[in-house]
Amino acid sequence: MDTLDHLIGRLETLFEYVAIALLAIMMLIITMDAGGRYLFAAPVFGTHEFVEFYLMVGVVFLGIAQLQARRGHVAVSFVSRNFPRPVRRLLEAVFLAATLAAVTGIGWMAVEQVSTNIIRDRVIATPFPFSQVPMPVWPSWVLVAAGVILLWLRMALQLLRCLISGEVPDAETFEETDSAIH
């Protein structure tokens, strides 16, 4: 199980770096668009669509598994951190299983959208910035599918660890998270 955790962790790190690069590109292109619009009355055509359909999708979905690995999602822990460990373990397993079911559906639909958009050759009417090439829709769905599949793998591993070895966030983890928020 440690080998699988290591492999998933490396993929999460890779996805995180790609998401950071996409964020940097997003900042650059939005700055160029705003500068062009207000300084030269010539915005970068297609910026909004490119950011919306590619960059933002990549930033969100490629970073979501890493966030799950760090247990950085919003959690209401002010009550559950006081539960005994077996109760926290049960709740963790139930919540992971329920969320895993939902993520399975999302992943399935994302993969289906990739193939549908490739087969139908769907494009966004607006061309890529700095070009006349229309933007295909399928790459954004590849980003969604890749991020959700990696999230599914991380959550499945966490559920297995919870069920097999009893691994569950302990009360100190909740306190560290709470103190980081304040």
Side-chain angles (χ1 to χ4, degrees):
M1 204 173 319
D2 288 337
T3 305
L4 184 59
D5 185 36
H6 180 71
L7 176 64
I8 292 171
R10 297 208 30 135
L11 282 172
E12 288 167 346
T13 301
L14 173 67
F15 279 23
E16 181 180 31
Y17 286 138
V18 172
I20 290 168
L22 293 175
L23 183 61
I25 293 167
M26 186 187 326
M27 292 185 320
L28 179 66
I29 197 165
I30 289 173
T31 301
M32 290 171 55
D33 180 55
R37 177 180 317 272
Y38 295 110
L39 297 176
F40 306 110
V44 178
F45 191 71
T47 295
H48 298 288
E49 292 83 356
F50 186 65
V51 168
E52 177 183 355
F53 284 98
Y54 295 103
L55 302 177
M56 187 63 72
V57 170
V59 168
V60 170
F61 284 97
L62 294 181
I64 201 165
Q66 181 76 272
L67 187 63
Q68 176 65 28
R70 294 177 181 169
R71 300 197 183 275
H73 293 297
V74 174
V76 181
S77 60
F78 66 93
V79 174
S80 61
R81 67 176 162 212
N82 297 319
F83 290 162
R85 186 169 181 78
V87 174
R88 285 198 320 267
R89 179 181 177 198
L90 175 66
L91 289 174
E92 179 78 3
V94 168
F95 292 144
L96 280 170
T99 307
L100 201 53
V103 169
T104 301
I106 294 168
W108 182 269
M109 294 303 296
V111 170
E112 194 173 273
Q113 284 296 316
V114 170
S115 62
T116 299
N117 286 307
I118 289 173
I119 290 168
R120 294 187 180 165
D121 196 29
R122 291 187 177 151
V123 295
I124 301 165
T126 307
F128 280 110
F130 311 109
S131 76
Q132 294 301 315
V133 179
M135 289 186 248
V137 174
W138 66 266
S140 63
W141 283 103
V142 168
L143 294 172
V144 172
V148 169
I149 289 168
L150 189 58
L151 174 64
W152 189 93
L153 289 170
R154 170 55 65 193
M155 293 181 78
L157 184 62
Q158 287 175 337
L159 179 59
L160 280 173
R161 282 199 164 148
C162 181
L163 294 174
I164 293 170
S165 64
E167 185 177 299
V168 62
D170 51 0
E172 291 79 33
T173 303
F174 292 128
E175 290 169 10
E176 289 171 8
T177 306
D178 290 345
S179 64
I181 293 172
H182 299 298

